Amino acid sequence: MTGSAGGVPRQLPRQRRHTLFFLRAVREFAPVFLDTEVDVTGVLAHRQAARAERGVHYSTTAYVLRAAGRVLARHPDANAALRGGPRPRIAHYPFVHGKLTLDRSLGGQRVVLGTVVPNLHQATLDEIQAHLDRVRDGDAEQLPDFAAIRRLHAAPWLVGQARFRRAARSLALRPHLTGTFAVTSLGHRAVDSFHSVGGTTTTFGVGRVLPRAVVRDGEVAVAPVLRLSLAFDHRAIDGAQAADVLTEVKDELEQV
């Protein structure tokens, strides 16, 4: 299947341009991949209590964003951004902004859009979830969060590509466009785990929660387990620090 009517090639839909520009921009990354399992018994209990007591629903990604924000505040090198080239540059930030990718539609085309949740080093779970609810329930054709993407789609190809490249290379703009770290989730489908490069030094991949065998006090038990992955840019940090980050995020989630 060619994906075009009658097998005749056609232009890539405008709504997918930002994804293609992004993939070209991150080719200089040097990704390494880690993964772990998280016992989310406490997360699910906390979520159930919030719904029963206050009628509030927290998503799994909200917990991951909060945990990662707290951990990355303690690891400034993993919360940095790097620009390559003959003389690489790195920028460290006094805040932690997290990008979350969303499965949305623009102009009738299914696309991936990203929203940046600010100041996760100090944001509450309620603040994080309010941001997620707003962008998930709002009209992607109207939300100001996606205005830059809509302008990119409307611009001529070469103009849009140049704008994207210029913005992506700016270490001052990058945390506000792509976050200082990224989270992407496919846990709503039958995906146990996966790895993704989000254009940031660290990217967390969130799979589905399933009952799995765990060991507690030397005994085998069944618990809800989340597969959590981490892709890190080896140009910016090494494996030992990346392993510390993933372990500490796991610990944060298991101590909810």
Side-chain angles (χ1 to χ4, degrees):
M1 298 294 290
T2 64
S4 56
V8 178
R10 58 185 176 88
Q11 287 189 337
L12 186 79
R14 284 179 175 266
Q15 295 85 352
R16 293 199 56 78
R17 288 185 178 182
H18 68 284
T19 299
L20 184 60
F21 295 158
F22 167 78
L23 292 173
R24 288 179 174 177
V26 299
R27 284 179 180 173
E28 63 183 21
F29 274 57
V32 179
F33 306 102
L34 310 175
D35 64 76
T36 190
E37 292 185 342
V38 182
D39 183 342
V40 291
T41 299
V43 167
L44 296 186
H46 184 273
R47 183 164 64 180
Q48 183 177 6
R51 178 175 287 183
E53 297 169 8
R54 299 191 289 128
V56 176
H57 173 71
Y58 297 128
S59 67
T60 302
T61 50
Y63 289 96
V64 174
L65 284 163
R66 184 180 66 165
R70 292 176 174 180
V71 170
L72 288 171
R74 303 194 293 264
H75 293 271
D77 288 339
N79 190 55
L82 189 146
R83 184 178 68 207
R87 300 181 64 185
R89 294 288 185 270
I90 191 166
H92 293 83
Y93 304 103
F95 49 78
V96 184
H97 292 353
K99 180 185 76 172
L100 177 68
T101 57
L102 303 167
D103 178 20
R104 299 299 307 270
S105 292
L106 277 177
Q109 178 74 36
R110 189 175 182 180
V111 296
V112 174
L113 298 176
T115 182
V116 176
V117 188
N119 300 316
L120 286 168
H121 57 296
Q122 59 188 21
T124 66
L125 199 58
D126 286 320
E127 291 169 337
I128 297 168
Q129 190 61 52
H131 182 109
L132 301 186
D133 289 342
R134 179 179 61 80
V135 295
R136 281 175 172 160
D137 299 337
D139 183 357
E141 305 281 358
Q142 302 295 329
L143 281 169
D145 307 67
F146 308 131
I149 293 295
R150 295 193 297 267
R151 289 194 298 270
L152 194 69
H153 295 166
W157 177 274
L158 292 179
V159 173
Q161 183 173 250
R163 287 177 180 173
F164 189 95
R165 185 184 299 114
R166 185 166 57 249
R169 285 189 59 79
S170 171
L171 294 179
L173 287 177
R174 196 184 299 177
H176 306 288
L177 299 175
T178 63
T180 58
F181 77 98
V183 172
T184 183
S185 174
L186 294 175
H188 60 292
R189 306 298 287 176
V191 176
D192 291 341
S193 64
F194 68 103
H195 297 86
S196 175
V197 174
T200 48
T201 294
T202 54
T203 301
F204 295 89
V206 181
R208 62 177 172 170
V209 176
L210 284 178
R212 301 185 189 276
V214 300
V215 177
R216 291 176 176 168
D217 300 324
E219 299 291 334
V220 177
V222 176
V225 172
L226 166 72
R227 291 274 177 82
L228 183 67
S229 69
L230 173 65
F232 69 93
D233 189 348
H234 208 336
R235 300 174 305 163
I237 60 173
D238 293 326
Q241 184 168 187
D244 290 344
V245 168
L246 184 59
T247 300
E248 290 176 31
V249 171
K250 169 185 166 73
D251 292 343
E252 287 272 352
L253 290 169
E254 291 185 339
Q255 294 168 11
V256 169

